[in-house]
């Protein structure tokens, strides 16, 4: 085809340059014309070769050759005429060249069109065939060109040139044959290749069947493990496997055609899905964890990979999503996270305790709010640091940090109160507990440390110690003072007993001697005064004795021993016997238990109480002076008994039917020198009941009284928590057993 | 009772007490051979036959010493202690007659070897009765040991 175009071009160039030369007679143009003419001759040969297989093209070449010849002859003539005449060609000559050129153009265009048609036909065929065809065309054109060259040789009428041309054709022919052979060989090899390719294709088809089987197996395996779904680009579900249905609780029918949004749990923010769609819409694989909602509203988590399948236009056609149900793991994660969060909140909520953890090497790995407050380090400052920075320099240099870890390992726990330093270097007292932490396999994971600021406590302790010391000092001082006072008191009572009683004795003695020695000479008035002096000294002697007695009770060291109270009562009654002279007194004495008490003091109690009873029943001594139902009893009745248990203690009672007392004065009964009766009515010092009370209190017991005017009085007392001796009934029981 | 013999040594600093005691003894016919020492030192000199009493002999000790505790110079307790710790005098009966009924005095007296302890009653009648009883007991009822030889106190035995 190109040759056709070149030939036409050469003819036109030759014609045009001949015409232009004829017009302007310029030598360069003539040279140009000659070159183009030569080229046209060669082109003809080439065309003949190239179109050899196409009769139509050969026919056109046959037509083209005379046209070319005519055009070239006219040009030759025009050139010769100009060279001879130097006259410019006339208008008719110009028109003639135009006509000749148009003929050549038309024929070459026809040939060109034919070749184009052929070319497009051949394009449909296999590449090998196409190459062959182009070759044939080329050859045809060469053949055509060759014929054109022959035609030109004939026209030139140059015999030698013709012979040379014939030889040239021979060469060309043999070259052509050689090329045909080459091409044939090439074609055969290509056919062989194609056959091979076909065989390979068949083989691969067989392989594909195996592959398909494998693929099906793999799909089965995938279906067992994963939730598989396919959606179109809008997210509409076009396929869902059984597992997908099972987990989502929707049937396949319910899912197909639905947008995947029906599973949206609302957990993820909009941006999450926007990012996902952005990724897959761009043809990229997306991977992530999604929280979905099943049909019944329950939640499930899926680990999701979405693969977009891209069409010929480069845009995704559909999305394949493969998911793994990770609900259980997520739940565990959430539970763990929640538990960790709770733990963190708990730890951070503890403001007064530093709670942190160390790795086995003693580096801080966790830090709570309390620790930050106590030690002054923020979490990010201290994590990874060695915990020895909390120790005071001396302790650090002494190797205490490592020792304390070792001790906690050896004993399972280490506790100490020691000085520690804050970040700012200030020291404080801390109570520190170190506990080693082991994992399930028993390997050391690290240590937990709990520290509390006890600076205030220490200060308080110091303050308490100081106060204690002061108090002790004061107690010592007071004790010394009391001892001194006590000694003074003892000295006082000693001197009272010696020095006060002596003058009394003298008053009594000398007044008595006066009566005895000079009684006969004294008048009755003087005698009466001497009697009053005697009474006074006796009363004062009694008072002094009782006061000394009271003081003695106070100093007396309690000596508890098992005491038979009935024996004591009997003793006291015997002592008091003289006082009952001339009186009718009825003693009603119950069986009293044996108790642990100080017999000397308890005897004093009974003595005072029974003496009182005797004294205040004196008006009942006059026997049957009065009679009648409402009359007071004719004789004194004094009752000694006990009631069972008051707070586990027996309550002893001494009751009489004497003059009694009004309960409104009951509070005055046990006051020192307090008397409810006049000395004329009933003698007394007002010290007896005070002594009773002091003895009872010394035993840890209680004393109280009940009374009614003119009916009698009752005194009750207990003797404290001394170990109770065995009662008679217990002895009897024990004896019975023996 | 011959003149060389002494029945009672009364150790009493108080004139009133002394008078009352002597009055009571006189009435009870006990005062024939009484010597009164007015302080502890005099009592010791008398008992140990020294100083103003150097002419006295251990062969004739008093049959009874009535000893008050509260005495000038050397108190009664010291007198008792020396008398009872010396072999020559320890067999002499010593009765403490005092105003005090203090427990500690009582205990101390008996520990030092007092033969009796009596609190002087305030009432004179009672006092007289007490003096009578004591005198009767120690001078009449009680049987003292026979002092065999003077200055052989080291060999003297307590016959109780």
């Amino acid at each position: 085809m190109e040759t056709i175009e070149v030939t036409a071009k050469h003819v036109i160039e030759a014609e045009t340059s001949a015409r232009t030369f004829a017009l302007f007679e310029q030598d360069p143009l003539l040279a140009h014309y000659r070159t183009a003419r030569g080229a046209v001759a060669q082109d003809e040969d080439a065309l003949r070769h190239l179109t050899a297989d196409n009769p139509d093209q050969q026919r056109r070449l046959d037509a083209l050759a005379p046209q070319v010849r005519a055009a070239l002859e006219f040009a030759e003539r025009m050139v010769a005429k100009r060279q001879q005449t130097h006259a410019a060609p006339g208008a008719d000559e110009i028109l003639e060249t135009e006509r000749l050129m148009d003929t050549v153009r038309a024929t070459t265009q026809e040939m060109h069109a034919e070749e184009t048609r052929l070319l497009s036909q051949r394009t449909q065929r296999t590449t090998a065939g196409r190459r062959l065809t182009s070759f044939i065309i080329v050859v045809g054109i060469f053949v055509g060109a060759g014929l054109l060259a022959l035609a030109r040789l004939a026209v030139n009428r140059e015999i030698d040139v013709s012979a040379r041309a014939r030889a040239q054709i021979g060469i060309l022919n043999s070259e052509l044959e050689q090329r045909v052979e080459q091409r044939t060989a090439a074609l055969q090899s290509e056919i062989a290749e194609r056959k091979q390719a076909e065989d390979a294709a068949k083989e691969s088809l067989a392989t594909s069947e195996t592959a398909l089987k494998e693929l099906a197996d793999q799909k089965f395996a995938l279906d067992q493990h994963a939730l598989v779904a396919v959606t179109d680009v809008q997210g509409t579900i076009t396929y869902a496997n059984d597992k997908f249905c099972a987990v989502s609780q929707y049937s396949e029918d319910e899912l197909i055609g639905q947008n995947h949004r029906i599973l949206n749990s609302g957990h993820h923010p909009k941006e999450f899905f926007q990012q996902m769609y952005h990724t897959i819409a761009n043809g990229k694989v997306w991977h992530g964890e999604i929280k979905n909602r099943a049909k019944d509203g329950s939640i499930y988590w899926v680990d999701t990979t979405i693969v977009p399948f891209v069409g010929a236009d480069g845009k995704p056609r559909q999305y394949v999503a493969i998911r793994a149900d990770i609900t259980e793991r997520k739940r565990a994660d959430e539970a763990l996270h929640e538990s960790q969060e709770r733990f963190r909140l708990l730890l951070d909520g503890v403001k007064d305790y530093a709670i942190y953890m160390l790795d086995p090497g003693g580096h801080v790995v966790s830090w709570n709010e309390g620790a930050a407050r106590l030690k002054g380090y923020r979490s990010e400052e201290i994590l990874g640091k060695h915990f020895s920075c909390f120790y005071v320099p001396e302790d650090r240099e002494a190797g205490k940090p490592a020792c304390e870890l070792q001790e906690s390992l050896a004993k399972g726990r280490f506790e100490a109160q020691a000085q520690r330093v804050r970040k700012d270097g200030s020291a404080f007292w801390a109570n520190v507990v170190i506990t080693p932490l082991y994992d399930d396999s028993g390997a050391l994971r690290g240590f937990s440390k709990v520290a509390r600021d006890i600076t205030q406590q220490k200060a308080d302790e110091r303050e308490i110690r100081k106060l204690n010391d002061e108090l002790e000092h004061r107690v010592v001082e007071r004790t010394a003072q009391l001892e001194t006072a006590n000694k003074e008191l003892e000295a006082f009572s000693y001197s009272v007993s010696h020095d006060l009683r002596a003058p009394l004795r003298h008053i009594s003695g000398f007044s008595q001697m006066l009566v005895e020695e000079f009684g006969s000479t004294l008048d009755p008035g003087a005698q009466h005064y001497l009697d009053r002096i005697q009474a006074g000294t006796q009363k004062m002697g009694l008072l002094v004795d009782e006061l000394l007695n009271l003081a003695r009770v106070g100093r007396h060291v309690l000596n508890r021993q098992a005491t038979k109270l009935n024996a004591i009562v009997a003793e006291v009654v015997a002592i008091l016997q003289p006082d009952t002279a001339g009186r009718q007194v009825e003693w009603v004495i119950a069986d009293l238990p044996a108790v642990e008490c100080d017999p000397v003091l308890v005897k004093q109690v009974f003595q005072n109480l029974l003496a009182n009873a005797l004294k205040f029943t004196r008006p009942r001594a006059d026997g049957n002076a009065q009679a009648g139902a409402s009359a007071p009893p004719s004789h004194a009745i004094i009752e000694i008994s006990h009631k069972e248990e008051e707070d586990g203690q027996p309550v002893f009672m001494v009751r009489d039917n004497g003059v009694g007392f009004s309960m409104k004065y009951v509070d005055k009964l046990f006051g020192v020198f307090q008397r409810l009766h006049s000395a004329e009515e009933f003698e007394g010092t007002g010290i007896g009941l005070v002594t009773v009370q002091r003895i009872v209190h010394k035993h840890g017991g209680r004393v109280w009284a009940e009374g009614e005017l003119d009916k009698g009085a009752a005194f009750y007392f207990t003797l404290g928590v001394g170990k109770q001796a065995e009662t008679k009934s217990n002895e009897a029981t024990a004896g019975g057993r023996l | 009772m011959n003149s060389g013999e002494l029945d009672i040594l009364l150790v009493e600093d108080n004139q009133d007490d002394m008078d009352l005691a002597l009055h009571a003894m006189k009435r009870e016919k006990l005062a024939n051979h009484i010597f009164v020492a007015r302080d502890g030192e005099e009592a010791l000199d008398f008992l140990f036959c020294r100083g103003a009493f150097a002419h006295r002999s251990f062969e004739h000790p008093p049959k009874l010493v009535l000893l008050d505790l509260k005495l000038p110079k050397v108190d009664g307790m010291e007198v008792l202690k020396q008398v009872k710790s010396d072999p020559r005098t320890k067999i002499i009966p010593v009765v403490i007659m005092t105003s005090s009924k203090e427990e500690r005095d009582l205990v101390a007296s008996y520990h030092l070897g007092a033969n009796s302890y009596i609190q002087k009653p305030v009432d004179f009648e009672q006092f007289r009765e007490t003096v009578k009883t004591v005198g009767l007991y120690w001078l009449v009822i009680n049987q003292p040991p026979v002092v065999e030889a003077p200055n052989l106190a080291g060999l003297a035995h307590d016959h109780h």
Side-chain angles (χ1 to χ4, degrees), chain A residues 35 220 283 357 362 365 493 514 586 610 702 731 738:
Chain A
T35 311
F220 178 76
M357 299 218 280
V365 291
S493 53
L514 193 61
E586 183 185 346
L610 295 185
R702 208 161 69 82
E731 280 163 16
L738 288 166

Side-chain angles (χ1 to χ4, degrees), chain A residues 185-202:
Chain A
L187 195 62
Q188 276 169 348
S189 113
E190 284 211 14
I191 285 164
E193 273 174 23
R194 212 153 74 184
K195 178 87 169 67
Q196 259 182 352
E198 246 171 54
D199 288 349
K202 266 185 206 159

Side-chain angles (χ1 to χ4, degrees), chain A residues 329-396:
Chain A
R329 171 166 73 73
K330 272 289 179 185
R331 275 196 194 129
D333 282 356
E334 273 174 14
L336 183 67
H337 182 258
E338 206 177 302
S339 147
Q340 281 173 340
E341 184 65 11
R342 270 202 304 271
F343 189 59
R344 190 186 65 75
L345 286 172
L346 178 71
L347 283 188
D348 278 350
V350 177
K351 302 271 191 276
D352 298 331
Y353 285 80
I355 302 174
Y356 56 99
M357 299 218 280
L358 305 175
D359 67 11
H363 300 93
V364 177
V365 291
S366 83
W367 196 247
N368 81 331
E369 180 62 28
R373 276 168 56 121
L374 188 62
K375 314 233 183 205
Y377 293 95
R378 290 194 310 278
S379 177
E380 60 270 25
E381 290 175 319
I382 197 65
L383 289 180
K385 298 255 171 62
H386 197 265
F387 82 117
S388 56
C389 67
F390 305 137
Y391 287 73
V392 293
E394 310 88 84
D395 287 352
R396 204 154 49 220

Side-chain angles (χ1 to χ4, degrees), chain A residues 429-566:
Chain A
W429 276 94
N431 177 283
V432 183
V433 177
I434 304 177
T435 314
L437 304 171
Y438 300 96
D439 65 14
D440 293 341
S441 68
L444 180 68
R445 291 290 303 273
F447 301 88
S448 77
K449 278 202 77 180
V450 179
R452 184 164 53 92
D453 188 345
I454 54 164
T455 308
Q456 189 57 45
Q457 188 186 319
K458 280 275 170 190
D460 291 349
E461 276 173 17
R462 270 198 302 278
E463 186 66 20
I464 287 168
R465 259 202 301 279
K466 197 178 132 203
L467 287 173
N468 245 350
D469 290 349
E470 279 176 15
L471 207 62
E472 256 171 45
H473 185 67
R474 253 191 271 174
V475 166
V476 168
E477 264 180 13
R478 286 284 158 81
T479 307
Q481 285 173 1
L482 281 173
E483 275 169 4
T484 308
N486 220 19
K487 273 181 185 152
E488 278 170 8
L489 202 66
E490 276 180 37
F492 173 75
S493 53
Y494 190 82
S495 85
V496 162
S497 63
H498 277 279
D499 301 346
L500 286 188
R501 289 177 94 257
L504 278 175
R505 248 186 354 262
H506 306 152
I507 295 166
S508 171
F510 288 113
S511 60
Q512 184 68 30
M513 283 159 67
L514 193 61
V515 170
E516 285 176 5
E517 291 176 20
F518 305 100
S520 53
T521 59
L522 287 174
D523 67 19
Q527 186 77 45
H528 173 69
Y529 293 143
L530 285 169
D531 287 347
R532 297 283 286 271
I533 292 169
Q534 278 295 319
T537 54
Q538 270 171 18
K539 191 182 173 188
M540 190 166 170
L542 189 68
L543 202 58
V544 167
D545 284 350
E546 286 198 8
L547 272 176
L548 287 171
N549 200 33
L550 182 63
R552 250 200 307 280
V553 166
R555 288 204 307 277
H556 188 93
V557 178
L558 201 66
N559 175 29
R560 278 188 192 270
Q561 46 187 278
T563 307
K564 287 180 176 166
L565 293 182
N566 282 98

Side-chain angles (χ1 to χ4, degrees), chain A residues 490 493-494 497-499 501-502 504-506 508-510 512-513 516-517 534 537-538 541 548 552 555, chain B residues 14 16-17 19-20 23 27 69-70 98-102 104-105 119-125 127-128:
Chain A
E490 276 180 37
S493 53
Y494 190 82
S497 63
H498 277 279
D499 301 346
R501 289 177 94 257
L504 278 175
R505 248 186 354 262
H506 306 152
S508 171
F510 288 113
Q512 184 68 30
M513 283 159 67
E516 285 176 5
E517 291 176 20
Q534 278 295 319
T537 54
Q538 270 171 18
L548 287 171
R552 250 200 307 280
R555 288 204 307 277
Chain B
N14 189 294
D16 291 337
D17 272 326
D19 287 349
L20 287 172
H23 185 271
R27 187 177 146 148
L69 288 178
K70 243 181 133 220
T98 176
S99 293
S100 167
K101 214 176 91 184
E102 285 297 313
R104 58 178 184 184
D105 288 342
Q119 189 190 27
K120 297 176 198 164
V122 169
D123 186 80
F124 184 63
E125 202 58 53
F127 176 69
R128 216 152 48 186

Side-chain angles (χ1 to χ4, degrees), chain B:
Chain B
M1 286 185 202
N2 58 55
S3 61
E5 286 190 7
L6 187 74
D7 290 333
I8 297 171
L9 170 66
L10 175 65
V11 188
E12 178 61 78
D13 67 313
N14 189 294
Q15 185 67 52
D16 291 337
D17 272 326
M18 189 186 80
D19 287 349
L20 287 172
L22 289 175
H23 185 271
M25 288 178 192
K26 219 179 277 174
R27 187 177 146 148
E28 300 302 329
K29 316 276 190 264
L30 292 168
N32 293 335
H33 301 282
I34 290 181
F35 181 82
V36 180
R38 303 301 301 270
D39 60 52
E41 194 180 78
E42 194 184 359
L44 286 172
D45 283 352
F46 182 89
L47 287 166
F48 286 93
C49 311
R50 64 196 185 200
F53 304 95
H55 63 277
R56 288 196 74 254
S57 159
F58 281 98
E59 288 174 49
H60 304 287
K63 288 181 178 161
L64 174 66
V65 177
L66 292 174
L67 180 64
D68 193 6
L69 288 178
K70 243 181 133 220
L71 295 169
K73 298 187 186 170
V74 179
D75 74 11
M77 210 62 86
E78 181 60 30
V79 173
L80 175 67
K81 187 178 169 188
Q82 292 196 18
V83 169
K84 288 297 176 183
S85 57
D86 193 307
R88 295 169 298 179
T89 51
K90 70 185 285 186
I91 59 164
I92 302 168
V94 179
V95 172
I96 306 295
M97 273 191 86
T98 176
S99 293
S100 167
K101 214 176 91 184
E102 285 297 313
E103 190 79 8
R104 58 178 184 184
D105 288 342
L106 253 161
V107 172
S109 298
Y110 280 114
H111 270 280
L112 289 174
N115 297 75
S116 195
Y117 189 104
I118 290 159
Q119 189 190 27
K120 297 176 198 164
V122 169
D123 186 80
F124 184 63
E125 202 58 53
Q126 283 181 36
F127 176 69
R128 216 152 48 186
E129 197 62 32
T130 304
V131 169
K132 180 184 163 189
T133 308
V134 168
L136 196 64
Y137 178 77
W138 288 106
L139 299 181
V140 180
I141 302 170
N142 188 50
Q143 183 65 53
V146 178
V147 180
E148 291 171 350
N151 299 318
L152 286 174
L155 301 170
H157 296 287
D158 188 350
H159 290 275
H160 297 286

